[in-house]
Amino acid sequence: MRQLRNLTICTLIARDLEYKADLAEVLQVMSDFADFAIQTHVDTLMAEMVALHGTPWGERADMAQQLIVVAMGKLGGRELNVSSDIDLIFLYPESGDTRTSTEDQRSLSNHEFFTRLGKKLIGALSELTGDGFTFRVDMALRPNGASGPLVASLSMLEDYLIVQGREWERYAWVKARAVTGDTADIARLESIVHPFVYRRYLDFGSIDALRTLHAQIRADVTRQEARHPDRRYNVKLGRGGIREIEFVAQVHQLIRGGRDAGLRERSTRQTLRLLVTLRLLPASTADELLHAYTFLRNLEHRMQYLDDAQTHSLPNNETDRLTVAQMMGYESSATLLAELERQRNLVAAHFDAIFRDKDAEQAATTDDTSPAQIELALADVATPETMTGYLRDQGFQQPDGSARRLLTSWHSSRLQALPEQSQHRLLAIITTALPLIAALPQDQDATLGRLLDLLEAIARRAAYLALLHEYPQALQRVVRMMHASDWAARYLTRHPLLLDELLDDRTLNAAPDWPVFAEECRSQLQASAGDTERQMDVLRELHHAQQLRLLAKDLEGSMTVETLADHLSRLADILVGATIDAAWQTVRGRHRPVPLFAVVAYGKLGGKELGYASDLDLIFLYDDPNPEAPQLYARLAQRFITWMTSHTSAGILFDVDIALRPDGASGLLVSSFAAFEKYQTESAWVWEHQALTRSRFCAGDEEIGERFEQLRTQLLRQQRDPVKLQQEVVTMRRKMHEAHPNRSALFDLKHDSGGMTDIEFCVQYLVLHHACNFAELTPDIGNIALLRLCGSLGLIDANLANEVADIYRNFRRQQHQLRMQGKDRARVEMEQAQTARDAVRRLWDSLFAEETAS
């Protein structure tokens, strides 16, 4: 094995220095060889040990046991250096004793058996012989380090990680990879390690933990450099070195790996590339870090080529330094040092952008005489008067209420019971936020109140406080959102997981890519297949995240109400389709991989006028001859509604209204297409055909969807008695008006006479009355486009049609703005809407004057 190792390294050195092998080849070959050496020695030594002591046997599993060798560090990530130690941990499945087959064999406990096997393996790999060694072995990463047992059972490891596992060990276990062991035992090992390494929530506290670990490493390196000046060029642990690149990659893994299994990558290079794909790191940043990583690792290898030593510092003597420079392709050591400095500065700049100490920066830039943080830290002895004075100095226009609210929140039992670190972060967040709020032109009190509501809601989740503390740009967006919309503030307070969405300008500013989003839904649901609760949360988290991105663009005024509604409707379509697909996989007895089942949308979703909190008006159709189809699809529909409406830890997805199905509340939950067609043709009321004007196929089987659209067109183009149609429409409008009485002095934009419902009824009447002669009226193109079309066709006065279309758009805009400010009802001063109301009444009277009078 030692001779093979020497030949392998000599071959790699030759290929590397002759530019026939790149870094990837060098790392891969060394990692593969290390795996081969470990596996080969384990197999051989295991056979020897079994011959002496019998086969180790588990007490509970009642089966033979195998040694699990876990590779950590660079070997775990398959990025091993040519002269690197290998970091290993030895584990075995469970306690027990060896089973002997002959009298010559002496039984051992499993722990003793695997301890002896581990010692033999270390010797086989690392003992120095005439041929050298295969690998130096470092066991310091095992539980309790050098003071702990050489091997541990899986249950011992689990207890250790739960009780004693430290933050730096989370970082170390990111790269852990089992090189030997039974497949089932390795799966059990991963089930133990993953919850320790990866939190189910977004763990922004990892930034501070890695910052602390980095500071400890840097302090140790600084001490070593002071004692040994010749070690000041440490390419691994020094400023801007390899370790800082690894930290940049792995901090994102620790933050988000619990939610995104794809981030549980062991390779630093692959992780950096993956972060670009996930839009967590700009491509330019990743390219610079990957280039620096390649440069530093190549330099590290050439330093190790000199004496086959695990060194990370440039040699001190000029002769060796020149040799290394020439191996790197530079004519002089000075040129190499200049490039090394440039690369390290680039790495350090990217590292600092993530890991710079916000507290230290704030302390360095704060006036010691009257900083907000000191004022708040002494809030237990502050009075409303002193706090009012302080806020007035900050720029608050009417600080009395804000001062009282601030002190009340700080003295609340919820905040006073927080750990010291959380209190410290909370003070820092408020300190940063107060000047931002003071700079607002209005609504300072309301904005501060909404922000404090959010902070009180997330106070016990240290990860959220860490996010706002570590990323001031996210806090700035939060303040803007709190100021712009009460509804947005309450939405964010209910779903604080969305704070993560406020970090990336590219994500917030990019137009939605719906095919990509649909694929993301499918992949994330598939990754959680078999875990219904997690799948329901995945749908909610994806919905909330996408909705927040739209909300951010909406609050910036970069979208019209129509564009927003189109996006929200497309979002709902995708989620309805994804839910149907996932829920079908949970239906027992299903007879097909894909259901012959379609969802039809009515109302706001049908008309693509969905708002942020709109219900979904849906009906369910199927066309399947299987005798079990009615029961199966009824079960699917019930499950779909449950998935949509259930409250989980992530909230609900949508409220669903199924009252528009044939025969309403007394009808079947799902209908065969034939039954639906018969009902709509022979039994449906006029108001049900009115509803069809705002309906469309939403999700599911496309063939059924096409048949629905054909039937819809056929029904809308029926010849109708105009007098009877007038009567039916006016009667239904009167019922709706009575169902939504307005006892205030304000004008209800939706329900009052002259409002949005009147416009919608006018459009529906025009479609039902004239579609028999004008096929262009049947597509579901929205009320505004249909009004203009009716005007251009001469069915109503063209000028009035355009005026009412503009009024409808304006009513929708006002309704949206009022809802965004938290208003339950969209009502305005009567005088404000009088001109618009009169125009709508003129359109109504032109169509229904005689019937209304009667």
Side-chain angles (χ1 to χ4, degrees):
M1 194 67 75
R2 283 155 175 73
Q3 292 170 359
L4 177 58
R5 182 256 186 191
N6 295 336
L7 287 169
T8 300
I9 288 183
C10 286
T11 302
L12 280 177
I13 292 174
R15 286 181 57 77
D16 189 4
L17 297 183
E18 293 171 3
Y19 301 101
K20 294 179 180 177
D22 59 7
L23 176 65
E25 178 182 319
V26 175
L27 300 181
Q28 186 66 49
V29 169
M30 287 307 303
S31 300
D32 288 347
F33 174 68
D35 285 359
F36 167 77
I38 292 168
Q39 293 160 357
T40 302
H41 282 307
V42 166
D43 289 345
T44 303
L45 295 170
M46 182 73 177
E48 294 175 2
M49 288 286 294
V50 168
L52 291 172
H53 302 288
T55 302
W57 210 262
E59 288 179 339
R60 289 176 298 172
D62 192 30
M63 60 186 297
Q65 307 284 285
Q66 296 182 33
L67 179 68
I68 305 170
V69 178
V70 180
M72 307 289 281
K74 287 186 171 62
L75 178 56
R78 297 187 185 275
E79 294 176 331
L80 193 65
N81 281 333
V82 290
S83 294
S84 178
D85 294 358
I86 53 175
D87 296 287
L88 303 179
I89 293 177
F90 299 152
L91 302 168
Y92 60 95
E94 63 180 61
S95 299
D97 298 291
T98 61
R99 288 190 175 182
T100 59
S101 57
T102 67
E103 293 182 357
D104 295 337
Q105 294 175 324
R106 185 167 69 87
S107 179
L108 299 174
S109 68
N110 287 353
H111 181 80
E112 187 175 358
F113 179 95
F114 288 114
T115 298
R116 293 187 183 188
L117 177 58
K119 290 178 179 179
K120 288 178 178 289
L121 176 60
I122 293 171
L125 291 168
S126 64
E127 285 179 0
L128 193 62
T129 73
D131 292 310
F133 58 87
T134 305
F135 287 103
R136 292 173 291 262
V137 177
D138 191 333
M139 301 294 297
L141 293 177
R142 69 185 188 267
N144 290 309
S147 63
L150 185 66
V151 298
S153 68
L154 291 179
S155 61
M156 290 167 61
L157 174 68
E158 184 172 24
D159 291 343
Y160 173 82
L161 294 180
I162 292 173
V163 177
Q164 300 181 57
R166 289 157 288 182
E167 282 294 328
W168 70 262
E169 289 177 292
R170 288 182 61 204
Y171 164 77
W173 278 92
V174 166
K175 289 181 174 290
R177 178 174 62 88
V179 178
T180 69
D182 179 76
T183 302
D185 293 333
I186 293 172
R188 183 183 163 201
L189 169 64
E190 291 180 348
S191 71
I192 292 170
V193 172
H194 283 171
F196 169 68
V197 177
Y198 303 109
R199 307 298 193 238
R200 292 200 67 170
Y201 52 85
L202 292 169
D203 185 15
F204 287 93
S206 300
I207 298 175
D208 193 48
L210 286 181
R211 182 190 294 125
T212 301
L213 176 58
H214 176 262
Q216 293 169 349
I217 294 172
R218 288 293 299 125
D220 183 60
V221 171
T222 300
R223 285 193 298 270
Q224 293 296 326
E225 289 175 346
R227 294 174 186 168
H228 308 281
D230 55 310
R231 299 180 185 175
R232 69 180 184 275
Y233 292 112
N234 189 315
V235 301
K236 178 181 179 181
L237 302 179
R239 180 77 171 135
I242 295 168
R243 182 56 51 85
E244 290 191 356
I245 300 175
E246 293 173 341
F247 274 27
V248 169
Q250 279 143 15
V251 70
H252 291 287
Q253 294 179 284
L254 292 177
I255 290 172
R256 293 180 173 82
R259 290 181 59 201
D260 190 341
L263 273 171
R264 298 168 193 173
E265 170 62 54
R266 297 180 178 95
S267 162
T268 298
R269 294 165 298 147
Q270 293 302 327
T271 299
L272 289 171
R273 297 183 184 107
L274 181 60
L275 292 175
V276 175
T277 303
L278 296 175
R279 301 181 117 181
L280 296 174
L281 205 64
S284 59
T285 299
D287 288 343
E288 288 184 351
L289 291 174
L290 283 166
H291 181 74
Y293 186 83
T294 301
F295 173 84
L296 294 171
R297 291 298 301 271
N298 280 333
L299 178 57
E300 185 180 42
H301 283 156
R302 281 147 181 76
M303 294 186 303
Q304 294 175 355
Y305 290 163
L306 288 176
D307 296 306
D308 193 13
Q310 190 186 20
T311 180
H312 309 292
S313 297
L314 275 173
N316 195 39
N317 68 80
E318 179 56 30
T319 300
D320 286 346
R321 189 172 288 185
L322 179 59
T323 301
V324 171
Q326 290 171 343
M327 282 193 285
M328 287 290 289
Y330 296 96
E331 294 182 356
S332 68
S333 60
T335 310
L336 171 63
L337 289 175
E339 180 60 18
L340 174 59
E341 190 66 17
R342 191 180 77 83
Q343 293 293 339
R344 285 169 46 150
N345 286 337
L346 281 173
V347 173
H350 291 307
F351 180 88
D352 288 344
I354 296 175
F355 289 97
R356 64 181 182 273
D357 192 332
K358 311 300 188 298
D359 290 336
E361 288 181 1
Q362 189 174 42
T365 58
T366 301
D367 179 6
D368 291 337
T369 58
S370 59
Q373 190 149 347
I374 293 176
E375 189 80 28
L376 288 171
L378 299 176
D380 56 333
V381 296
T383 65
E385 290 76 21
T386 59
M387 187 57 69
T388 297
Y390 173 75
L391 292 178
R392 184 178 293 110
D393 292 341
Q394 286 283 303
F396 276 71
Q397 297 163 1
Q398 295 178 323
D400 294 15
S402 293
R404 285 193 297 272
R405 174 62 200 277
L406 196 53
L407 290 174
T408 299
S409 293
W410 182 249
H411 286 307
S412 68
S413 58
R414 173 182 285 266
L415 299 191
Q416 289 301 309
L418 293 176
E420 183 178 351
Q421 185 182 44
S422 292
Q423 287 191 1
H424 177 73
R425 282 177 174 162
L426 189 60
L427 288 173
I429 291 167
I430 295 174
T431 298
T432 304
L434 286 178
L436 300 175
I437 297 172
L440 298 172
Q442 58 189 8
D443 297 329
Q444 296 169 338
D445 276 6
T447 304
L448 178 60
R450 294 166 187 167
L451 177 63
L452 290 174
D453 287 341
L454 171 66
L455 295 178
E456 288 173 5
I458 67 173
R460 294 183 182 177
R461 296 297 295 271
Y464 295 140
L465 295 180
L467 184 157
L468 294 176
H469 181 235
E470 296 288 348
Y471 295 96
Q473 74 272 23
L475 179 58
Q476 292 172 6
R477 288 199 176 98
V478 167
V479 170
R480 289 203 300 269
M481 194 167 285
M482 299 288 121
H483 173 66
S485 168
D486 178 69
W487 185 88
R490 288 188 283 115
Y491 186 75
L492 193 57
T493 300
R494 285 196 307 271
H495 308 294
L497 191 69
L498 298 176
L499 289 168
D500 178 50
E501 295 295 326
L502 302 177
L503 298 181
D504 190 351
D505 286 329
R506 294 168 303 157
T507 300
L508 291 175
N509 295 331
D513 189 331
W514 295 120
V516 170
F517 177 76
E519 180 56 37
E520 183 181 4
C521 284
R522 285 191 291 270
S523 63
Q524 289 208 30
L525 287 169
Q526 183 59 41
S528 302
D531 186 346
T532 297
E533 182 178 353
R534 179 58 195 149
Q535 286 183 311
M536 291 169 69
D537 280 344
V538 162
L539 289 165
R540 284 151 177 75
E541 289 165 5
L542 289 169
H543 178 221
H544 296 155
Q546 191 61 58
Q547 193 160 256
L548 186 79
R549 294 169 196 159
L550 293 172
L551 178 60
K553 293 172 72 67
D554 181 19
L555 294 178
E556 292 172 0
S558 58
M559 280 193 299
T560 65
V561 174
E562 292 92 336
T563 301
L564 174 65
D566 284 345
H567 284 316
L568 289 172
S569 300
R570 183 76 177 99
L571 172 60
D573 288 353
I574 292 171
L575 292 170
V576 168
T579 303
I580 288 295
D581 292 343
W584 178 245
Q585 300 307 312
T586 70
V587 175
R588 289 186 179 180
R590 62 185 183 280
H591 59 294
R592 328 174 25 88
V594 179
L596 295 174
F597 182 88
V599 182
V600 174
Y602 282 74
K604 288 187 176 181
L605 179 58
K608 295 185 180 179
E609 295 179 351
L610 207 65
Y612 288 117
S614 298
D615 297 352
L616 304 186
D617 293 290
L618 305 174
I619 68 167
F620 308 114
L621 303 176
Y622 70 91
D623 189 23
D624 189 333
N626 188 284
E628 300 297 322
Q631 292 80 11
L632 288 171
Y633 293 128
R635 201 175 303 154
L636 172 59
Q638 290 168 341
R639 198 151 296 183
F640 168 82
I641 293 171
T642 298
W643 279 48
M644 283 271 161
T645 61
S646 293
H647 282 267
T648 74
S649 59
I652 72 166
L653 196 52
F654 291 102
D655 283 322
V656 175
D657 191 332
I658 53 174
L660 290 174
R661 68 188 188 274
D663 291 316
S666 62
L668 296 173
L669 183 60
V670 297
S671 300
S672 69
F673 189 86
F676 177 77
E677 182 177 28
K678 179 178 175 63
Y679 175 85
Q680 289 289 343
T681 304
E682 301 177 5
S683 307
W685 297 83
V686 171
W687 68 263
E688 292 179 284
H689 286 183
Q690 283 182 248
L692 274 177
T693 65
R694 300 179 72 199
S695 67
R696 61 184 177 84
F697 166 66
C698 170
D701 184 82
E702 292 188 2
E703 185 176 340
I704 299 176
E706 290 176 4
R707 292 178 62 191
F708 168 80
E709 294 297 341
Q710 293 169 2
L711 175 62
R712 174 183 175 277
T713 300
Q714 174 187 325
L715 292 169
L716 294 182
R717 298 203 66 194
Q718 287 182 161
Q719 191 79 37
R720 303 176 193 271
D721 181 338
V723 175
K724 184 178 179 181
L725 178 61
Q726 279 187 334
Q727 292 172 346
E728 293 284 355
V729 172
V730 171
T731 298
M732 179 53 64
R733 177 66 186 102
R734 186 180 303 118
K735 289 180 179 178
M736 289 191 64
H737 194 282
E738 293 169 353
H740 298 88
N742 178 9
R743 298 182 177 85
S744 73
L746 301 174
F747 174 64
D748 192 304
L749 293 169
K750 181 173 178 63
H751 298 294
D752 278 358
S753 177
M756 295 169 66
T757 302
D758 274 4
I759 299 173
E760 292 163 0
F761 268 58
C762 287
V763 172
Q764 291 163 13
Y765 168 77
L766 288 166
V767 171
L768 294 180
H769 183 21
H770 296 290
C772 56
N773 298 316
F774 299 97
E776 55 264 56
L777 291 175
T778 57
D780 185 12
I781 58 176
N783 291 304
I784 294 172
L786 283 169
L787 275 169
R788 299 192 194 282
L789 178 59
C790 288
S792 67
L793 293 173
L795 305 179
I796 53 177
D797 180 81
N799 291 330
L800 182 59
N802 289 328
E803 182 181 1
V804 173
D806 290 338
I807 288 169
Y808 188 74
R809 174 181 286 115
N810 189 47
F811 279 176
R812 283 185 62 190
R813 186 183 300 114
Q814 290 182 72
Q815 181 189 50
H816 178 67
Q817 291 169 348
L818 289 167
R819 294 279 168 80
M820 291 298 288
Q821 292 307 319
K823 305 294 185 183
D824 293 330
R825 294 181 175 86
R827 292 175 177 175
V828 299
E829 295 292 336
M830 191 67 72
E831 296 77 10
Q832 179 183 340
Q834 192 61 53
T835 302
R837 185 185 185 194
D838 290 343
V840 175
R841 292 304 301 170
R842 286 200 305 275
L843 175 62
W844 180 271
D845 289 342
S846 72
L847 299 175
F848 303 111
E850 293 182 7
E851 185 59 35
T852 302
S854 67

